Amino acid sequence: MSNKNINQIFEALTPSAEQKEKTLHSILLKGPDEHSFEQKGQRKFPPVKLVRHALLAAVLMVCLTTTAFAAAYMGLDEAFIKFLKPADNDQALYLSNGAYAVDQTIDNEYGSLTIKQVIGDSNLTYILMDFTAPEGTVLNAARYRFLSMTTTNQSYHSTGFEVLGDGDPNDNKLSLVMNIMTENSLAGQTIDFNLYDLQAADPLPGIFETVIPGSWKTSFKLDFKEYSTLYQINQGITMYGYEAILKTISVSPISITLKIDSGSLKEINKAAGRSEEIALNVYLDDFPVTINYKDGTSETTSIFTGLATSDYLSNQMLTIKTFDNLINEKEIVSFKFFGKVFPVNN
């Protein structure tokens, strides 16, 4: 998505002059039955109430003139939009409806960490955060991450960080998106959050080293709306020559998750072998899935970006995948997995 597209989305999220005028008009009319007072010839507002409503209207008008407030009001932070790159205004608004504002700040002598917003689906949670180091610190490394001891209600999860550009690489501020991949959705759960030791690294294959010590602990609800669509497949497939059953496919704009049952998971994983590294830290996907769209286009997870885990006791495999672009799940007509096509109704 180009900067022009992103600006168009913000324009859509920002009320027009006509909308602002209507909003102001509506606010002024929502006093305690002003119209009925005039009709009945009864008393009008006491002066203090007139002042209160005029002040409220003025404050809201100032707020409505800022893009940041408009985006927050609609439910999605500006940084999240730039990170996710929705395909169009409809997808931006769709994501906005599911976002949850946390707005918690944890301060200590080493810096200030603000947890801003959360979005997620059935297996992936994104947490947007800002970090401000003490004055005089320059945070301009290629990569950053925190060490984490985050506790969820899941038996297993994986985490990662992505640095977002903040317009000034030589200041003391960072914006990051933390991803948490889990077996089930974290929506509605309370997360115990403990990030510590900010680490930095050069471009690949740079080694991470702690640049700012400290610990930032808090707990907060993950009250995002989970919009994943679950497709019950329950069909047999052959993976690397071994029988398996594709149980479900869960799809949202941000990820796709497949659950597979097989009594031969050890053999399948052995046959898949170690993922082939085609570039520095870039690996082929051993279990690629293709999404076919109504317009004849398709996307395949050729490069592995996600999580794959197998439970040999329950014979269950789970693999979570993300794509270069957000998924337009309403336009999907079928999935293809290990040579077999699974049509879906949308």
Side-chain angles (χ1 to χ4, degrees), residues 206-219:
I207 299 173
F208 280 99
E209 295 182 352
T210 298
V211 292
I212 296 181
S215 177
W216 294 266
K217 297 180 182 179
T218 187
S219 295

Side-chain angles (χ1 to χ4, degrees), residues 182-196:
T182 51
E183 183 176 1
N184 297 296
S185 178
L186 293 177
Q189 303 296 318
T190 297
I191 187 171
D192 293 325
F193 206 68
N194 182 8
L195 300 186
Y196 60 99

Side-chain angles (χ1 to χ4, degrees), residues 110 134 165 169 286 294 299 332 343:
Y110 302 106
D286 292 331
K294 292 178 182 176
E299 294 180 271
I332 296 174

